[in-house]
Amino acid sequence: MQLDAKIPGGPLAGKWDRYRFELKLVSPANKRKFKIIVVGTGLAGGSASASLAELGYNVKTFCIQDSPRRAHSIAAQGGINAAKNYTNEGDSIWRLFYDTVKGGDFRAREANVYRLAQVSNNIIDQCVAQGIPFARDYGGLLANRSFGGSQVQRTFYARGQTGQQLLLGAYSALMRQVGAGKVEMFPRREMLDIVVINGQARGIVVRNLITGKIETHASDAVVLCTGGYGNVFFLSTNAMSSNVTAAFRAYKKGACFANPCFTQIHPTCIPVHGSYQSKLTLMSESLRNDGRVWVPKNPGDKRFPRQIPESERDYYLENKYPSFGNLVPRDVASRNSKEQCDMGKGVGETGLAVYLDFEDAIKRHGRDVIEKKYGNLFQMYEKITAQNPYETPMMIYPAVHYAMGGLWVDYNLMSSIDGLFVLGEANFSDHGANRLGASALMQGLADGYFVLPYTIGGYLAGTSLEKITAGHPAFRESVEIVNNSIEKLLSINGKRTVDDFHRQLGHIMWDYCGMSRNDEGLKKGRKLIQQLGEEFWENVLVPGSDKDFNQSLERAGRVADFLEFAELLIIDALARKESCGAHFNEAYQTKENEAMRDDKNFCHVSAWEFAGKNKEPVFHKEELKFENVELSQRSYK
Amino acid sequence: MTKTINLTLKIWRQKGPEAKGKLETYKANDIPTDMSFLEMIDVVNEKLTLEGKEPVAFDHDCREGICGMCGTVVNGRPHGSEKGTTLCQLHMRHFSDNDTIVIEPWRSRAFPIIKDLVVDRSALDKIIQAGGFISVNTGNAQDANAIPIPQETAELAMDAAACIGCGACVAACPNASAMLFLSAKVSQLALLPQGKPEAARRAVSMVREMDRLGFGNCSNETECEAECPKEISITNIARLNREFYKAGFFSSEK
């Protein structure tokens, strides 16, 4: 397999415009002859479904929840970036592009990131037109705030519920198309296989989660918008149903998986507090606009935070990184929290937490202002911890949050299977080794509203597609594979529950492939995962039947895929013999313990091709060429 | 140290939409009070699974109070008795040792039961399909700052837009009306200048769709506002009524 990113030539700023002109078009009258399947209804899937239907395509959209409005994009809190420069601070498309490439530790594609920055402004326009109630200043114009990794205020927000508002915007556009009969909506369906015919993605196999029926759907192209794989760590900020299954089954059908080891650990989450815990809750990065991060200077200082005088506090981010202070990128902030806790300066019952303190901000701006900006986050914190963050500092600790890695895609967002497009967090393309805050919403909507609608037309217009229906033998084959695997899961009848396996997998991943990694640990982790995988298929206990609403069975299938995928993640981590962004291998660090890249040998995307069960995946390299930015040691000092 | 409590649970079990359901009794012992309500059900389900019984089916997803997927009636109150709280954010510290907790699904003709505590809320999507949007195709927008919107208006629109579509308002209403849900969307869009051109059609067709789907009427019981986990105000219903009458008198929408 030869990976071709299909990046257009010519100067960076003109690439997307020229490319759009060169793309073949499908005429309005012909669009209705094509059927497109979209899996997932988050920002990427929702916006793509609506936009494709508006253009005249026939769209079938699938989601795992009971309604497309529930996709986990809804939980994004802080905001969405755009290069509007409404604040007159000197922001520009170029600066947003540069910040994103640098924030990603120079492991993203220049051309993709530039395009993302270009369309960022259209996204804000579109969202306002849809009636999204963004925060506004007294004059009635849009307000902005700061996020990590940037020195300008370019983040648009709707209180601490920006993801919710943007998703409901995309959802309402989607509902409008469902009402108009252009999108057929299939909720409570889980995609279990991609059907590939003559090398082209031509449909999917799904399980109806209510009746258990296995259904087949044929189409001319398939668009996966199925989110990230953070739940491979069991505890993460992802929703309970977030999983890798759709992406992983596509991988097994020939789509390359790129950079799976780039998994973002978010610095500001509510710390773990018990072995029964089912998920972790994020506290938006926007809190670092006003909150100050600190730990006691003396290890083991167990006094209440308000009793620790100023002189005995270490505001380690402000001290170490004076120009960015508390707003360093996520990977840097997370590693520094871990470092402080490893030195014994962690706070709270477990010693695995640092303070995020609003005392100064409340003194400076007043409680009302802080409440207006972060009220719902403070309330959420209090509900979970029973502590009032207006009076006592929050305690936070890093947690698994976002997957920069994902299915490999070219400039058209098409994977290594023809006709299989991958959007949003499910692809790998824009964030390199570390995503900046408020960029996920931007990317999901960019892909769905402003990139795919053009590139998919180019594919459909330039490809000859054989007429097929869901009666094609390839569908029957897929159904058989899916059924066999379900039968197997139900017949093992072992002694351990699905969650029990998942939790153990999470521990292994966190211990050996978490915030800081080394070759020895990775190798050990891999072995432990293989053993756990073997035990799973002999000893898992899945109650109930397949012809029913069976949540244990749903989870069993997902955990089975996580177990295999976890190994791929570790293989990727082992192969990348450098530290960059979220991937920190202890053997490669600067004197000041910052990540040390090896641009000579690792300035590439690692894309893995499935070679068969229990075989090493095949490595493919896509060299990253930087023609417009200079590769430098990232510094936020 | 973590405190633990022992509980008796009475949980609604129902195999399917047509099956007859009943309350079953389960023990939940040594439950740490820092645990969330859903984590408590997780513990019960793990135990049931290991005993060879079927775990309780219940909807949940984000577990941080924003997706709107979770929700059951706890001791007669949707999402439990804590104000402004979804079930996933309700913590066991609000219960006492030896409490008995009754857990039932949302009850409404428009929300048929799928299994145990899981109901079908697709009727809410249908209400949105009837007009809960602004008709703007991708690419049609002008610059975002071209229409200034007074901060106060934007804030009111945001208050309404905070609805998570969980259906607690319907479950709380003696008439099983979806007026709070519907009015939140109508209000958000009617307050904003972008939503004005379609305001009349939106109000009329969304209300008509709600009636068609078998939801009841509003008789100002205000239970919906009391139970809404996002504390959506019933002034939105007043605004909806105004929009509805305005549409009847001053537009051609019927």
Side-chain angles (χ1 to χ4, degrees):
Chain A
M1 187 188 296
Q2 201 63 38
L3 293 180
D4 177 4
K6 303 209 177 77
I7 296 166
L12 186 63
K15 278 183 202 283
W16 178 230
D17 267 355
R18 218 188 44 257
Y19 188 69
R20 270 194 302 174
F21 175 71
E22 285 163 4
L23 274 173
K24 285 189 186 147
L25 293 173
V26 181
S27 77
N30 283 336
K31 285 199 178 86
R32 75 175 87 96
K33 294 179 187 157
F34 290 105
K35 215 184 264 171
I36 299 171
I37 281 175
V38 179
V39 188
T41 57
L43 288 176
S47 60
S49 301
S51 304
L52 291 171
E54 286 161 8
L55 287 170
Y57 293 108
N58 294 302
V59 182
K60 279 184 171 184
T61 301
F62 298 77
C63 73
I64 204 166
Q65 297 90 349
D66 72 328
S67 160
R69 68 180 290 153
R70 316 244 188 253
H72 198 54
S73 304
I74 205 153
Q77 297 167 351
I80 175 166
N81 286 330
K84 284 285 194 186
N85 194 31
Y86 285 157
T87 54
N88 199 28
E89 294 169 300
D91 199 7
S92 62
I93 289 169
W94 192 274
R95 190 179 293 282
L96 175 54
F97 153 73
Y98 179 78
D99 285 349
T100 309
V101 169
K102 178 186 169 198
D105 217 355
F106 306 96
R107 291 293 176 264
R109 260 188 219 142
E110 274 191 346
N112 284 54
V113 178
Y114 193 85
R115 174 175 67 187
L116 177 67
Q118 275 178 308
V119 302
S120 67
N121 292 337
N122 304 81
I123 296 170
I124 302 302
D125 299 343
Q126 184 66 29
C127 292
V128 168
Q130 287 173 343
I132 287 169
F134 282 119
R136 288 173 184 270
D137 292 327
Y138 288 114
L141 301 176
L142 293 162
N144 287 113
R145 63 184 170 200
S146 302
F147 254 68
S150 151
Q151 288 172 308
V152 295
Q153 302 178 68
R154 62 159 74 100
T155 305
F156 295 79
Y157 62 99
R159 294 189 194 151
Q161 292 128 283
T162 318
Q164 180 199 23
Q165 294 309 313
L166 297 178
L167 181 69
L168 294 182
Y171 159 80
S172 64
L174 169 61
M175 285 298 105
R176 178 174 157 237
Q177 295 305 316
V178 173
K182 288 303 292 178
V183 175
E184 205 181 336
M185 188 68 225
F186 297 86
R188 291 205 199 261
R189 300 296 198 289
E190 176 158 26
M191 195 203 98
L192 295 178
D193 205 11
I194 293 260
V195 178
V196 181
I197 298 169
N198 299 331
Q200 295 164 329
R202 295 305 302 272
I204 58 173
V205 174
V206 299
R207 181 166 180 270
N208 180 325
L209 298 181
I210 298 177
T211 63
K213 194 166 173 269
I214 303 297
E215 303 168 346
T216 52
H217 298 269
S219 66
D220 297 298
V222 176
V223 184
L224 283 193
C225 312
T226 49
Y229 48 78
N231 274 347
V232 69
F233 288 81
F234 186 66
L235 282 183
S236 82
T237 64
N238 289 5
M240 302 305 285
S241 67
S242 301
N243 67 75
V244 77
T245 291
F248 199 67
R249 307 258 166 127
Y251 162 74
K252 285 190 159 177
K253 281 289 173 83
C256 286
F257 215 110
N259 298 338
C261 80
F262 292 161
T263 309
Q264 179 161 78
I265 317 270
H266 195 293
T268 51
C269 302
I270 299 179
V272 178
H273 59 78
S275 59
Y276 49 80
Q277 200 160 357
S278 59
K279 80 153 275 159
L280 295 171
T281 303
L282 174 76
M283 286 284 107
S284 168
E285 175 163 322
S286 62
L287 293 169
R288 287 197 272 144
N289 267 291
D290 288 298
R292 299 179 71 194
V293 177
W294 65 275
V295 290
K297 270 193 184 152
N298 306 314
D301 189 341
K302 290 284 169 206
R303 282 176 292 175
F304 285 113
R306 290 282 172 261
Q307 291 168 346
I308 300 177
E310 201 64 21
S311 60
E312 290 175 45
R313 299 177 179 189
D314 183 2
Y315 295 89
Y316 57 91
L317 289 177
E318 294 172 23
N319 297 338
K320 206 165 155 190
Y321 307 98
S323 21
F324 281 73
N326 292 298
L327 284 170
V328 291
R330 291 174 176 175
D331 54 336
V332 179
S334 290
R335 266 200 297 282
N336 276 282
S337 300
K338 183 179 184 300
E339 195 177 85
Q340 297 297 328
C341 293
D342 288 350
M343 288 192 282
K345 297 192 202 170
V347 297
E349 226 174 280
T350 58
L352 288 176
V354 299
Y355 290 125
L356 178 63
D357 199 341
F358 292 88
E359 191 177 21
D360 287 345
I362 291 170
K363 267 191 209 143
R364 196 166 52 240
H365 302 297
R367 187 181 153 137
D368 314 354
V369 174
I370 296 300
E371 192 167 347
K372 206 167 193 174
K373 272 186 173 167
Y374 313 115
N376 70 315
L377 299 171
F378 277 41
Q379 193 193 20
M380 184 149 90
Y381 182 85
E382 189 171 357
K383 270 184 196 147
I384 296 172
T385 62
Q387 288 182 344
N388 179 351
Y390 293 101
E391 280 155 22
T392 165
M394 285 184 178
M395 282 193 275
I396 52 159
Y397 197 67
V400 173
H401 180 56
Y402 185 87
M404 278 77 67
L407 291 176
W408 182 90
V409 289
D410 64 13
Y411 191 69
N412 298 306
L413 303 182
M414 189 162 87
S415 70
S416 50
I417 300 175
D418 281 355
L420 176 68
F421 293 80
V422 189
L423 275 57
E425 190 179 351
N427 76 25
F428 87 104
S429 70
D430 294 358
H431 306 297
N434 173 55
R435 178 173 68 73
L436 289 183
S439 285
L441 303 185
M442 171 170 73
Q443 187 223 336
L445 291 179
D447 289 359
Y449 282 136
F450 296 111
V451 179
L452 180 84
Y454 309 117
T455 58
I456 203 168
Y459 169 76
L460 293 170
T463 310
S464 80
L465 293 158
E466 189 193 334
K467 270 214 174 333
I468 57 130
T469 65
H472 192 281
F475 281 90
R476 272 205 299 279
E477 250 170 67
S478 272
V479 170
E480 205 179 297
I481 294 169
V482 164
N483 275 331
N484 287 345
S485 146
I486 290 174
E487 260 170 53
K488 178 87 206 286
L489 285 169
L490 285 168
S491 66
I492 298 166
N493 216 359
K495 296 219 164 5
R496 290 181 67 185
T497 63
V498 174
D499 282 10
D500 193 14
F501 279 101
H502 195 179
R503 202 179 293 270
Q504 191 182 345
L505 171 66
H507 280 305
I508 299 172
M509 291 302 288
W510 184 251
D511 290 347
Y512 299 106
C513 196
M515 261 185 286
S516 133
R517 305 160 175 179
N518 60 57
D519 286 3
E520 200 189 331
L522 288 168
K523 281 177 197 153
K524 182 165 176 204
R526 187 176 175 192
K527 199 162 281 163
L528 290 170
I529 289 164
Q530 287 168 338
Q531 287 164 1
L532 189 66
E534 279 166 29
E535 193 196 335
F536 178 87
W537 285 103
E538 285 161 10
N539 197 24
V540 73
L541 171 58
V542 185
S545 105
D546 62 330
K547 299 281 181 290
D548 191 13
F549 187 88
N550 186 342
Q551 291 169 311
S552 307
L553 177 62
E554 291 169 26
R555 285 203 299 275
R558 292 168 204 161
V559 172
D561 287 332
F562 274 136
L563 280 161
E564 282 184 54
F565 170 73
E567 211 183 324
L568 180 67
L569 200 156
I570 289 192
I571 291 171
D572 185 47
L574 272 167
R576 189 165 283 278
K577 303 220 173 290
E578 65 163 351
S579 292
C580 61
H583 171 63
F584 189 79
N585 186 324
E586 288 153 12
Y588 312 99
Q589 49 183 313
T590 65
K591 272 192 212 115
E592 289 144 325
N593 306 106
E594 303 287 351
M596 194 160 72
R597 292 196 321 269
D598 176 355
D599 292 331
K600 211 168 131 229
N601 297 305
F602 289 94
C603 195
H604 62 242
V605 175
S606 308
W608 302 93
E609 184 189 355
F610 183 65
K613 211 170 155 50
N614 300 325
K615 287 202 185 121
E616 290 292 307
V618 182
F619 172 75
H620 297 278
K621 188 194 280 191
E622 180 200 333
E623 288 293 347
L624 291 168
K625 289 190 198 75
F626 289 91
E627 292 161 346
N628 299 279
V629 300
E630 204 183 317
L631 281 92
S632 57
Q633 168 68 38
R634 230 167 25 138
S635 167
Y636 292 95
K637 292 213 178 258
Chain B
M1 271 314 286
T2 322
K3 199 183 138 198
T4 63
I5 50 176
N6 296 331
L7 300 163
T8 304
L9 307 176
K10 293 189 179 294
I11 305 180
W12 185 260
R13 303 299 309 257
Q14 182 173 337
K15 280 201 167 314
E18 307 303 328
K20 212 168 139 53
K22 63 169 183 188
L23 285 171
E24 297 267 9
T25 306
Y26 302 97
K27 288 271 174 217
N29 290 339
D30 304 320
I31 298 297
T33 50
D34 281 341
M35 200 179 246
S36 75
F37 197 86
L38 298 186
E39 284 166 350
M40 186 271 294
I41 303 183
D42 286 343
V43 169
V44 172
N45 274 344
E46 286 287 283
K47 193 159 163 264
L48 286 174
T49 304
L50 290 172
E51 287 167 0
K53 296 177 189 148
E54 258 205 75
V56 180
F58 68 104
D59 264 333
H60 61 100
D61 200 19
C62 77
R63 296 207 176 187
E64 48 188 279
I66 194 75
C67 75
M69 185 102 175
C70 72
T72 67
V73 177
V74 176
N75 290 338
R77 300 192 57 184
H79 293 296
S81 60
E82 281 299 295
K83 198 162 169 46
T85 305
T86 56
L87 192 64
C88 60
Q89 298 231 293
L90 178 65
H91 283 73
M92 298 315 291
R93 65 181 77 97
H94 302 294
F95 295 88
S96 311
D97 201 16
N98 296 322
D99 272 0
T100 296
I101 307 176
V102 181
I103 308 170
E104 302 162 276
W106 287 170
R107 299 223 183 260
S108 154
R109 192 192 316 161
F111 293 164
I113 290 182
I114 293 173
K115 186 178 180 179
D116 297 341
L117 304 170
V118 179
V119 298
D120 177 357
R121 286 170 291 194
S122 53
L124 297 181
D125 289 329
K126 293 203 179 88
I127 292 177
I128 299 293
Q129 283 161 28
F133 46 76
I134 287 172
S135 298
V136 51
N137 282 2
T138 306
N140 264 335
Q142 56 180 339
D143 186 83
N145 257 348
I147 334 166
I149 299 171
Q151 194 186 54
E152 200 189 328
T153 312
E155 291 290 318
L156 280 175
M158 181 62 217
D159 288 342
C163 169
I164 57 174
C166 64
C169 48
V170 179
C173 179
N175 311 329
S177 171
M179 279 289 266
L180 191 65
F181 168 79
L182 195 164
S183 70
K185 189 44 81 180
V186 166
S187 275
Q188 177 203 343
L189 300 180
L191 280 160
L192 299 169
Q194 305 93 302
K196 298 265 195 268
E198 294 171 284
R201 194 173 57 161
R202 181 179 307 119
V204 172
S205 61
M206 286 177 79
V207 169
R208 189 179 297 143
E209 183 68 0
M210 178 183 76
D211 291 343
R212 191 188 69 79
L213 290 163
F215 291 99
N217 286 324
C218 176
S219 48
N220 287 320
E221 310 290 332
T222 71
E223 299 277 348
C224 52
E225 183 187 64
E227 300 297 0
C228 174
K230 295 294 145 182
E231 303 182 79
I232 307 282
S233 157
I234 51 159
T235 53
N236 289 304
I237 299 185
R239 199 175 287 116
L240 163 66
N241 287 336
R242 219 150 51 229
E243 291 296 321
F244 187 78
Y245 290 126
K246 233 165 54 187
F249 287 122
F250 306 113
S251 82
S252 56
E253 292 298 330
K254 290 286 168 281

